[in-house]
Amino acid sequence: MAADLLVVNIGQLLTLAPRHPGGNDTPRRGAALADVGLVTGGALAVADGVVVAAGPEAEVREAAGRAAEVVDAGGRVVLPGFVDPHTHLLFAGSRADEFEQRLQGLSYLEIAARGGGILRTVAQTRVMGEAGLVELGAARLDRLLACGTTTVEVKSGYGLTVEDELKLLRAAHRLHALHHLDVVPTFLGAHALPPEFARDADGYVRLVIEEMLPAVVEEDLAEFCDVFCEQGAFTPEQARAILEAGSAAGLVPKLHADELSDLGGARLAAEVGAISADHLLCASDEGLRAMAAAGTIGVLLPGTAFFLGLPYARARHMIALGVPIALATDFNPGTSPTWSMPMAIALACVGMRLRPAEAVVAATLNAAHAIGMAEAVGSLEPGKVADFVILDADDYRAVAMHFGVSLVDEVYKRGRRVYSSRTGVVPP
Ligand code: NIG
Ligand code: FE
């Protein structure tokens, strides 16, 4: 077998290979969450954009034979590209003034009740065309790539009319086609109640179910259907109706659950067969147990807790209960204006007491599971897509320590170098 690319002299290679066959078919839980598949003195061989061998250097050289290109990692760390399974990437405008109001003591919900929050971003996003959103989105995806993210979920939700939601999802599809990153789209028509329906929540829920969902499915624009279940957003009953309708139409449910209050979102997510329940800052033990039993992934967003100054989700408790957990940025203009998965990892370690190994698995393999992409990405095993990162460090734990800065030196997507810290993003 001949490889196109051989990466050698890897000080620490994190393969995330499972300890038994088929072990990566489901997200990691409990003690297995810390299993990064660490190989010291490793190598990685790639052919046609796919991993053909990953492990100790002598074994990989033997298996791979001659390679067209050899890259010397210089004794540094190689790990799978990060998967960010929860972002609101596509929005126009900025909410810097609201940030300052919060610092002076107003809460996020108080600001929203005064006409700020999501609805302000909706107003700014509605007046931007698809091309403008694609341009903004492409520049943002460059930033994600520079932080080591190679696959990203992108939600709609700043349109809230049939046409504006379709516009956002079409923009996400264009970005998937034109950018290095893989973009996985989620329909979040139930993100907020738009001003036209301020006194008619049920009417808006009907619009979501009867007009938006069929249009999204007709154009095959989304994989997942999400709802913001919260006081001031959508009730558990409305969320259930939307997620069940989405499910019947072929969209897998996700849920913004128990972020600012406990409305029973965790249990609802488990009951409707959601692939993930996200946020969970206020989730009850009962809800978390239901998630563990159903295998619902808890997508934790420590950037949001950090930025809102709220207590972090109880990650250690979730791990102890057997909930599979993943990490994401929640990148959005109001509650988490960061696109950095390394920052999410650092916050998860310091704020939620994850071990660096657990945070890395949560940000790669389990994150891939949370968006149905684990067959392709999230670990460096033969047959999987060769998406990987070279860190400027000789110990992988450094990625969790150097908060607010990037140790990502090179990023490879499908076996091609697409980013280098010296020369930036390679044009697609
Ligand atoms: O995930 N929770 C709902 N949506 C976002 C906030 C979006 C915004 O404030 O613009 C979130 O936190
Ligand atoms: Fe969110």
Side-chain angles (χ1 to χ4, degrees):
M1 169 201 13
D4 312 326
L5 172 70
L6 189 60
V7 186
V8 299
N9 193 18
I10 302 173
Q12 292 188 341
L13 171 65
L14 310 188
T15 64
L16 279 81
R19 285 186 192 274
H20 56 275
N24 279 348
D25 294 354
T26 54
R28 300 270 177 91
R29 311 182 190 214
L33 186 63
D35 192 0
V36 289
L38 174 65
V39 178
T40 51
L44 177 69
V46 179
D48 288 328
V50 170
V51 175
V52 290
E57 184 163 329
E59 285 173 26
V60 171
R61 280 185 183 276
E62 164 105 29
R66 294 179 63 85
E69 188 191 352
V70 178
V71 168
D72 185 334
R76 297 178 299 169
V77 176
V78 169
L79 76 169
F82 298 119
V83 176
D84 189 342
H86 182 140
T87 81
H88 306 256
L89 182 91
L90 294 173
F91 60 85
S94 149
R95 308 228 299 269
D97 48 349
E98 293 180 12
F99 172 51
E100 197 148 7
Q101 287 166 7
R102 273 205 301 105
L103 298 180
Q104 285 159 0
L106 278 183
S107 76
Y108 177 73
L109 287 178
E110 283 164 346
I111 292 168
R114 294 173 186 208
I118 295 172
L119 292 184
R120 250 181 91 208
T121 301
V122 168
Q124 296 176 91
T125 306
R126 281 180 175 178
V127 296
M128 183 174 275
E130 185 183 323
L133 287 164
V134 169
E135 198 178 314
L136 264 181
R140 289 176 187 156
L141 291 181
D142 285 352
R143 303 267 191 182
L144 270 80
L145 192 60
C147 291
T149 299
T150 47
T151 300
V152 62
E153 185 251 23
V154 171
K155 299 177 195 297
S156 67
Y158 291 115
L160 313 185
T161 65
V162 177
E163 265 319 305
D164 289 305
E165 286 296 300
L166 293 178
K167 173 181 78 181
L168 286 158
L169 291 171
R170 288 181 191 132
H173 276 258
R174 294 234 339 249
L175 287 166
H176 177 70
L178 67 83
H179 202 278
H180 298 300
L181 266 86
D182 284 316
V183 174
V184 178
T186 293
F187 168 58
L188 177 59
H191 192 197
L193 203 55
E196 314 82 78
F197 285 89
R199 262 165 221 86
D200 185 15
D202 290 336
Y204 185 67
V205 171
R206 276 199 302 278
L207 180 74
V208 169
I209 292 176
E210 291 168 17
E211 294 184 43
M212 289 186 190
L213 263 173
V216 167
V217 171
E218 162 80 25
E219 261 188 71
D220 198 15
L221 287 174
E223 305 276 322
F224 302 100
C225 179
D226 193 349
V227 175
F228 186 21
C229 181
E230 186 60 62
Q231 281 166 23
F234 296 90
T235 66
E237 292 71 30
Q238 293 165 340
R240 181 189 291 274
I242 292 166
L243 294 178
E244 284 177 350
S247 200
L251 302 186
V252 177
K254 278 183 168 283
L255 189 63
H256 278 70
D258 305 332
E259 176 181 358
L260 305 170
S261 54
D262 175 17
L263 296 186
R267 199 190 59 205
L268 172 61
E271 283 173 6
V272 298
I275 194 165
S276 72
D278 303 30
H279 287 288
L280 304 172
L281 301 191
C282 304
S284 68
D285 281 6
E286 186 230 339
L288 296 175
R289 283 202 183 88
M291 284 177 61
T296 315
I297 299 173
V299 174
L300 306 184
L301 310 159
T304 308
F306 171 79
F307 194 68
L308 293 181
L310 297 172
Y312 289 88
R314 299 182 295 156
R316 290 252 62 95
H317 188 55
M318 294 178 197
I319 293 168
L321 290 177
V323 177
I325 62 163
L327 284 174
T329 61
D330 195 20
F331 176 36
N332 77 71
T335 66
S336 188
T338 183
W339 49 81
S340 168
M341 284 298 285
M343 185 68 189
I345 288 171
L347 291 173
C349 292
V350 174
M352 304 193 300
R353 296 272 178 260
L354 289 198
R355 292 167 58 197
E358 294 172 323
V360 165
V361 173
T364 54
L365 182 68
N366 278 14
H369 275 291
I371 53 172
M373 289 290 285
E375 275 181 31
V377 300
S379 62
L380 297 172
E381 302 171 75
K384 279 194 151 181
V385 178
D387 291 355
F388 60 93
V389 169
I390 303 179
L391 288 184
D392 239 335
D394 55 17
D395 186 317
Y396 75 89
R397 293 173 294 190
V399 74
M401 295 169 61
H402 296 273
F403 63 90
V405 291
S406 182
L407 284 174
V408 172
D409 191 42
E410 292 185 0
V411 182
Y412 285 74
K413 182 76 190 163
R414 290 180 208 91
R416 265 191 62 217
R417 191 172 67 183
V418 292
Y419 170 79
S420 142
S421 63
R422 275 164 300 277
T423 53
V425 176
V426 176

